[in-house]
Every structure is written in structure tokens, then in C-alpha cells.
Amino acid sequence: MKKLLILGAGTAGTMMANKMRKHLARDAWEITIVDQFKTHYYQPGFLFIPFGMYNRNDVIKPKSDFFPVGVNVIYSKIDKIQAKESNVILEDGVVLKYDYLIVATGCKTAPEEVDGLNGELWYKDIFDFYTIEGAVALANYFKTWKGGELIINISELPYKCPVAPLEFAFFADAFFTERGMRDKVNITYVTPMSGAFTKPRATKMLGELLEQKNINLVPDFAIMEVNNEEKKIMDYGGTEVKFDCLVSVPPNLGDEVMERSGLGDDMNYVPTDKHTLQSTAHENIFVIGDASNIPTSKAGSVAHFAAEILEENLMCAIEGRPFTGSFDGHANCYIETGYGKGTLIDFNYDTEPLPGSFPFPGLGPFGLLKVSRMNHYGKVLFRWIYWHILLKGKEMPIDSEMQMAGKKL
Amino acid sequence: MATKNYGGVSVDVNDEGYMTDSSQWTKKVASGIATDEGVVLTDKHFEVIDFIRTKVADGATLTIRGINKSGVVNAKEFYQMFPGAPLKKSTKIAGVPKPESCI
Ligand SMILES: Cc1cc2nc3c(=O)[nH]c(=O)nc-3n(C[C@H](O)[C@H](O)[C@H](O)COP(=O)(O)OP(=O)(O)OC[C@H]3O[C@@H](n4cnc5c(N)ncnc54)[C@H](O)[C@@H]3O)c2cc1C
């Protein structure tokens, strides 16, 4: 029996297990997937929890609901990848051999990387919303918060779902307005980027939205430390911002497995060919999702588009053909802007987010770089699509390759 | 494409003033760009620039985190040496492309 081993059963790993089981004959290929947890978290839902729109139960399901028949599932922490020997070692010492390996271990927050971030005030006046624990703690905090300086800070690039902290800011504006206390809450968005986003048109559009909603912007802020006594964040350049409540996006790092295995860069991301999705160091290792270092957004939608390419290229490798799939870095992100409305961006390695309509040129129903009620429904719908279509690796009516039709230059 | 003249040497630059041909770079050119950026170069600056040029030649992405771990300078010193936007300034002076922050 040949062996395909998948590390990580999150968004990307689960999709790949479903896709590959369909291609590979059960009597010739054994597929095994490993994850440390039994619960699947719908991470995009974490954003809604602090504002009481979702609770814990809305964002969790057993991972076992999503694996196809005929895949071995192992719940264990992964200790190490021995790429030269084509072995993976689990925490309890069990050795798994593979012919092909898919790395899909994602990335996670590392608050300990910033001095003082997870100090005395952690989960008292300082929170994250990138973990279920942080999102739930913040929901409880907001219930009785009297207002003051609300600071939203991104520690460092890259981090997953690059629009999530902006959405958080928009939601906070709407939330405190609806509570009749917006005048008591001063919202400031403090970012290492030079504006609200990285690419010119989206930056302009999203920057204007911040302004309209009376949210202050502090750009080019590279955080050095959090001062818990004086409740302020300080950057290397000497800028200081005071907070009453700090909502932080801590550094996002790949899993320590990569460090232990000598497979990661200085943030534990795995160097990956951005078009073929093959590891740049080992021919029989492929990388998908947040775990890779490819220069596009770390998002579920990206993992979904990449999954189609990886499916194709893995079959090429297995059947000894040259790669035919080439990933273009396609990302498609709905952005909640509050009050039941949203906007949408669609882009890839070479094309920045542009205005227009999606997915059907001229028709939409979604508007690119426009604020509309429809775009908000897109995001709401995404949760249903995620559980029922995306994870199961089913086809979606959207091209994996970014389309120029419908976009205005 | 525009060209700029630094101490008698003409170099190709893009519209943001970043050199487009790294091989045209010399220490003299670096000093010229540094003057425009309001930075006076010391030996320490050149150590950092050397690190940056080597990294970029190896195809690595530059980050504050990477500089901090370089063993040449820590992040705080880096900010002091190239005040304001250290990555943008130092890469310009080092004659390499502006680091793209992709998210
Ligand atoms: C607040 C928030 C909002 C978001 N909003 C959106 C959105 O609107 N749209 C969108 O497209 N994306 C969004 N995302 C991003 C999206 O959730 C991720 O990009 C996606 O889940 C990445 O999938 P992945 O499989 O690469 O990683 P994950 O889904 O994180 O899975 C990685 C898996 O690997 C396992 N693992 C890691 N290391 C080990 C180990 N050593 N041993 C055993 N198991 C291990 C983990 O337990 C985990 O199950 C959001 C994320 C957050 C946090």
C-alpha cells in the first residue's frame, strides 16, 4: 500500500482528505490524517462572538463529521517530520511513514512574542479574538464595559484573515452606537501597515470607511512592548498609544513542529513554491493553507482555491507527470462593515483588489469594494457553505483562478 | 525609467526612487541616497546594508523580526539608525527593492 499522510485537520487538511479519497483507489492508497484536537472551529465565526452575534456553539462541530469513509484519523500531537526518511513522529513516539505528505498545520497566535502582551492584564483589559478563549472572554468584558480608549492593534505581518481586525473595528463602532455609548468609546486602529490595508485601492476605500465611522488610524506602528502599569503600547520608533481596552492580533506563527523539523522560516512557515504548492526543499512534501509561506492572504477562501490546484498537482506527482496546476494566489474576502452591510475584495498575486461585481460580470450579486447589504449576506452564507460544501471538498460555482471579467481597472 | 545621479554615478530608479538594477550600487551611491533620506551612514549602517543585500540576493523576505534576529543589530537600534520607516529607508539605501508587505 502506498501512503498519503495529511498533517492537520483544519480547513485545508479536511478538504484535501475529502478530495484525495475520491481520486485514490482504496486498495492501493492508504490516507491518514492527524490532528491534536477533536473539535473543528469555524474560525471566521470568532469575529462575531465578542459582539454577542454568535456564541461558542455556533462555531464548533466535531471534526469527525467531515472526514470521508476510508480515511484513517489519528488524534495526536505531531512531534516531528523527518523529511529525509519520509517519516512523521507523533508525540507518543509512533512513527508514520509516507510516500507523499501534505502539511496543513495552519498558524496560531503567539502573544508571548511581544513583551508584556500576555502579562498582568491579559484577558482582564487585553484580549485577542483569534482564539475561542479570547473571543469569549472579550464578549463577557464588553457586557459591562463602561467605555474609554478601545485600541485595536496588529502586532506583525503576516496574520490570518487580514481584514478581520478591520471588521472588528467596524463592528465595534456599530455595537457601541447601538448601545448608545459610542460617545464614550474612542476607537483607534493601530497597524504596522502604512494605511488601512496594503494595496492602494482597497487601502483608500477601507481608509475612508474608517474615517466615516470616526475610527482613528495610527499607521506604521511596529509594536515593541505593552506597558501593563501605564496601560499603553509602545513602538520601536517611540510612538505610544494609551488604552483602556486593548484588542490585539498577536504575531501569527506556524506550528513549532516546523522548527523542530528544520522545515520552517523564522516564523515557522514552510517555504513553498507559490505556483505548484510543493515544498521547496522536498519533492514529496506539499503545503497548503496558513502553514505555507506563499505571498497571499492566509484565509480559508485561499485554502479552498489552492486545494483545487493541489489536488491536480498531487495527482501529477503520483502519476509521474509534470505539474499542470499553477496557483495564482486567488483570495476572496467578505468584509463586514457593520449595520448589516459588508464589502468584498477579490485579488491574487498580481492583481490588487479592484472595484466591480462578483462572481458574474455586471450582475453580481456581490459588489467589489462597495458597501452593500448583499455582501453581508455573502459572509453570513459563508458559514453554511463552509460546513456543508467547502470542508467536504465539493465543487463550488466559483473559479479557483481569479477572473478579470467584472472588474474595473 | 528615471535615472538619478549620485556623486557622478548615474543609476536607474523607479518612481519611488528605489534602484532597479542592484548591480549599479556602490557605497558612494548609498551615501548619496542616504543624504536624500536624511541619514548619515556609519560603519554600523554598512554592516546592516551588507546583511540586507546578502539576504535579498538569497531571495529571502526582509522583516523587522529577521533584522532583529540577524545578530547585526536589534530592532530598536535599527529604528534609531533609520528613523521613521527603517525597512523602507534601509532597502532604498541598500539599492534593493522595497519590501512588499503581502497579507
Ligand atoms: C478571527 C478570524 C476570522 C477569519 N475570517 C475569515 C474569513 O472571513 N474568510 C476566510 O476565508 N478566512 C477567515 N479566517 C481564516 C481561516 O480560518 C484560516 O485561514 C483557515 O482556517 C486556514 O486553514 P488551515 O487548514 O491552513 O489551518 P487551520 O484550519 O487552523 O488548521 C490547522 C490544524 O492543524 C492542527 N495542528 C497544528 N499543529 C499541530 C500539531 N503539532 N499536532 C497536531 N495537530 C496540529 C491544528 O490543531 C488545526 O486543526 C479567519 C480566521 C480568524 C482567526
Side-chain angles (χ1 to χ4, degrees):
Chain A
M1 285 282 257
K2 295 265 195 186
K3 292 175 172 33
L4 171 64
L5 179 58
I6 304 173
L7 301 184
T11 315
T14 306
M15 282 191 292
M16 288 315 298
N18 280 293
K19 284 180 180 291
M20 296 318 292
R21 190 64 288 175
K22 278 182 216 138
H23 283 295
L24 299 172
R26 300 251 298 261
D27 55 2
W29 279 89
E30 191 177 278
I31 301 181
T32 303
I33 189 164
V34 188
D35 203 291
Q36 58 199 327
F37 302 124
K38 291 191 167 155
T39 304
H40 191 113
Y41 292 95
Y42 173 62
Q43 298 175 43
F46 294 175
L47 166 72
F48 298 79
I49 292 178
F51 306 102
M53 299 175 198
Y54 285 177
N55 63 37
R56 198 187 162 86
N57 289 332
D58 292 320
V59 300
I60 58 173
K61 285 190 198 279
K63 280 191 194 293
S64 57
D65 284 5
F66 303 99
F67 301 130
V69 181
V71 165
N72 305 323
V73 181
I74 301 177
Y75 294 108
S76 162
K77 228 176 147 68
I78 300 149
D79 180 40
K80 218 189 226 162
I81 302 166
Q82 293 179 319
K84 285 214 183 81
E85 292 83 13
S86 293
N87 281 341
V88 167
I89 304 182
L90 303 183
E91 191 178 39
D92 56 6
V94 168
V95 179
L96 303 175
K97 297 203 133 303
Y98 61 83
D99 293 285
Y100 287 98
L101 182 71
I102 298 176
V103 175
T105 41
C107 66
K108 58 184 180 187
T109 56
E112 66 281 0
E113 291 279 314
V114 176
D115 277 346
L117 183 53
N118 62 353
E120 246 171 87
L121 297 181
W122 186 242
Y123 288 7
K124 294 199 181 77
D125 291 307
I126 303 178
F127 302 87
D128 73 288
F129 66 98
Y130 269 49
T131 60
I132 186 89
E133 295 80 15
V136 169
L138 187 52
N140 288 329
Y141 180 85
F142 276 165
K143 280 180 190 153
T144 54
W145 194 44
K146 300 276 182 300
E149 294 292 336
L150 173 61
I151 307 300
I152 300 155
N153 173 241
I154 298 155
S155 298
E156 173 175 0
L157 303 183
Y159 58 96
K160 56 185 149 184
C161 197
V163 293
L166 274 172
E167 297 181 278
F168 186 93
F170 298 147
F171 268 164
D173 165 63
F175 179 78
F176 291 114
T177 304
E178 279 157 12
R179 294 213 151 177
M181 56 183 284
R182 182 65 175 87
D183 56 333
K184 297 195 183 65
V185 180
N186 192 30
I187 308 176
T188 307
Y189 193 76
V190 185
T191 167
M193 288 168 262
S194 300
F197 205 66
T198 51
K199 295 293 186 307
R201 290 197 226 196
T203 301
K204 182 164 177 292
M205 190 265 177
L206 295 165
E208 283 166 6
L209 268 183
L210 286 176
E211 234 178 277
Q212 275 167 30
K213 293 174 188 289
N214 212 358
I215 298 165
N216 314 302
L217 178 71
V218 177
D220 293 318
F221 186 98
I223 193 163
M224 180 176 72
E225 70 172 277
V226 180
N227 184 324
N228 284 260
E229 286 73 51
E230 295 173 41
K231 293 182 90 169
K232 61 183 184 187
I233 52 175
M234 302 186 284
D235 95 330
Y236 288 111
T239 312
E240 297 184 354
V241 181
K242 286 202 161 265
F243 66 86
D244 292 302
C245 173
L246 173 63
V247 176
S248 161
V249 177
N252 282 207
L253 303 183
D255 199 82
E256 298 88 355
V257 171
M258 302 314 150
E259 194 172 357
R260 290 194 291 269
S261 313
L263 284 176
D265 64 12
D266 61 8
M267 294 180 84
N268 295 337
Y269 292 120
V270 185
T272 305
D273 185 293
K274 68 178 189 174
H275 295 301
T276 66
L277 305 176
Q278 189 179 38
S279 140
T280 54
H282 302 277
E283 277 189 1
N284 61 344
I285 300 183
F286 291 80
V287 193
I288 184 165
D290 297 350
S292 89
N293 78 336
I294 60 172
T296 183
S297 291
K298 296 193 180 300
S301 65
V302 174
H304 165 74
F305 297 131
E308 289 181 20
I309 305 299
L310 181 52
E311 174 182 18
E312 183 176 337
N313 281 351
L314 202 51
M315 288 315 293
C316 291
I318 286 171
E319 292 168 0
R321 292 178 280 120
F323 292 129
T324 49
S326 177
F327 188 50
D328 65 351
H330 189 189
N332 178 270
C333 306
Y334 290 93
I335 307 172
E336 290 281 5
T337 56
Y339 304 103
K341 292 190 175 173
T343 182
L344 173 65
I345 55 177
D346 190 64
F347 56 102
N348 68 12
Y349 292 139
D350 306 316
T351 310
E352 63 162 312
L354 295 171
S357 54
F358 180 88
F360 305 109
L363 292 174
F366 304 115
L368 296 166
L369 285 182
K370 267 194 258 336
V371 175
S372 75
R373 206 159 279 279
M374 200 51 168
N375 288 336
H376 160 70
Y377 294 133
K379 181 90 166 199
V380 173
L381 212 67
F382 188 64
R383 184 169 60 136
W384 189 91
I385 291 174
Y386 185 89
W387 293 128
H388 295 93
I389 300 180
L390 205 112
L391 285 181
K392 302 232 166 113
K394 294 187 190 155
E395 294 277 322
M396 290 247 281
I398 296 177
D399 284 301
S400 63
E401 205 174 301
M402 197 205 75
Q403 304 296 312
M404 274 316 283
K407 292 194 170 63
K408 292 182 204 123
L409 275 169
Chain B
M1 186 162 322
T3 57
K4 271 207 155 186
N5 199 297
Y6 292 110
V9 192
S10 167
V11 298
D12 300 329
V13 296
N14 67 13
D15 38 349
E16 287 185 303
Y18 285 81
M19 288 177 61
T20 51
D21 180 357
S22 195
S23 71
Q24 295 173 336
W25 183 90
T26 62
K27 284 193 164 189
K28 211 169 173 177
V29 171
S31 303
I33 304 173
T35 310
D36 288 353
E37 294 293 317
V39 177
V40 181
L41 297 183
T42 63
D43 289 348
K44 192 82 192 166
H45 282 91
F46 277 109
E47 272 182 53
V48 177
I49 289 169
D50 218 41
F51 171 80
I52 289 174
R53 285 183 62 84
T54 314
K55 271 276 181 192
V56 171
D58 290 347
T61 1
L62 292 170
T63 57
I64 300 283
R65 173 183 289 267
I67 301 274
N68 198 26
K69 283 189 178 173
S70 66
V72 182
V73 277
N74 63 34
K76 194 158 190 175
E77 292 162 344
F78 186 51
Y79 269 81
Q80 283 160 356
M81 291 167 71
F82 302 92
L87 270 184
K88 288 181 208 157
K89 277 191 187 172
S90 59
T91 47
K92 198 174 210 178
I93 296 170
V96 298
K98 178 172 152 187
E100 273 288 330
S101 55
C102 48
I103 58 173

